[in-house]
Amino acid sequence: MHEINIVLHEPEIPQNTGNISRTCAATHCSLHLIRPLGFSLEDRYLKRAGLDYWPYLDLHIYDDLKDFYAKNPEANTCCYYFTTKADHCYTEPVYPRKVYLMFGKETKGLPEDLLREHRESCVRIPMWQELRSLNLSNSVAVAVYEVLRQREFAGLNRAGKLPEGGE
């Protein structure tokens, strides 16, 4: 398991999870999926969105939240819950070395009981006026890159190389 862990609680849209899988592979993060899922892991849209990054993905699947916390007890103290209902901005915490970033299903977000239980660890991505939220895969990317920015993108290729010459 990697230091940065993305947790999707009951994701519903295969394309979002496929995009998130690609983000996790490209940033060396683990992906945790908590059932029920709104799709099959064999879904063609899921596979297509993840492209050829699947062999690089560290994937873990759980039956429910209880199963997730039982298998990841440290998540009780190093998990941040991304929600539109949070009082804190996602850039406020200094994320610990091992961290879990949890996101809820596309239509409802995370369960409110879970948010109340972990209120001080709830964070929000700011939105303009009364707009609710970004797409789930975009939210995950924003969150992952904030953690990586705080770590000065350690271990990632920070520069590319443009080949000499024309097309």
Side-chain angles (χ1 to χ4, degrees):
M1 197 171 314
H2 303 301
E3 290 181 342
I4 302 173
N5 296 273
I6 304 306
V7 183
L8 303 183
H9 179 259
E10 301 182 2
E12 300 168 312
I13 301 172
Q15 294 92 331
N16 281 338
T17 300
N19 289 336
I20 293 164
S21 298
R22 184 176 179 180
T23 297
C24 287
T27 57
H28 201 61
C29 297
S30 293
L31 178 60
H32 304 260
L33 302 178
I34 300 174
R35 291 186 171 113
L37 309 178
F39 49 85
S40 162
L41 291 175
E42 301 306 314
D43 188 289
R44 67 184 175 105
Y45 296 110
L46 174 77
K47 297 292 185 187
R48 183 173 179 217
L51 294 174
D52 56 347
Y53 289 76
W54 291 106
Y56 303 100
L57 181 64
D58 181 37
L59 177 63
H60 307 268
I61 302 168
Y62 307 91
D63 292 330
D64 52 29
L65 271 171
K66 184 177 178 182
D67 184 33
F68 168 75
Y69 285 113
K71 292 176 178 166
N72 301 281
E74 69 277 10
N76 282 303
T77 58
C78 60
C79 189
Y80 289 84
Y81 303 85
F82 282 73
T83 174
T84 60
K85 300 170 179 96
D87 295 329
H88 304 286
C89 180
Y90 77 103
T91 58
E92 291 177 30
V94 174
Y95 294 98
R97 183 55 54 204
K98 179 141 190 184
V99 66
Y100 292 81
L101 309 176
M102 187 179 291
F103 299 82
K105 63 172 80 178
E106 289 91 338
T107 57
K108 293 184 179 181
L110 291 167
E112 289 186 355
D113 288 347
L114 180 68
L115 299 177
R116 282 187 197 94
E117 186 178 337
H118 300 281
R119 186 177 205 113
E120 287 306 309
S121 298
C122 291
V123 293
R124 174 185 172 85
I125 298 171
M127 297 293 135
W128 184 65
Q129 292 189 359
E130 298 304 315
L131 296 178
R132 287 184 313 277
S133 64
L134 295 174
N135 171 278
L136 178 60
S137 63
N138 293 336
S139 295
V140 169
V142 166
V144 166
Y145 273 89
E146 173 58 20
V147 174
L148 292 169
R149 183 197 65 79
Q150 288 184 13
R151 297 173 184 190
E152 298 179 354
F153 304 104
L156 299 182
N157 293 330
R158 291 179 56 118
K161 184 176 181 181
L162 182 62
E164 295 297 324
E167 299 173 39

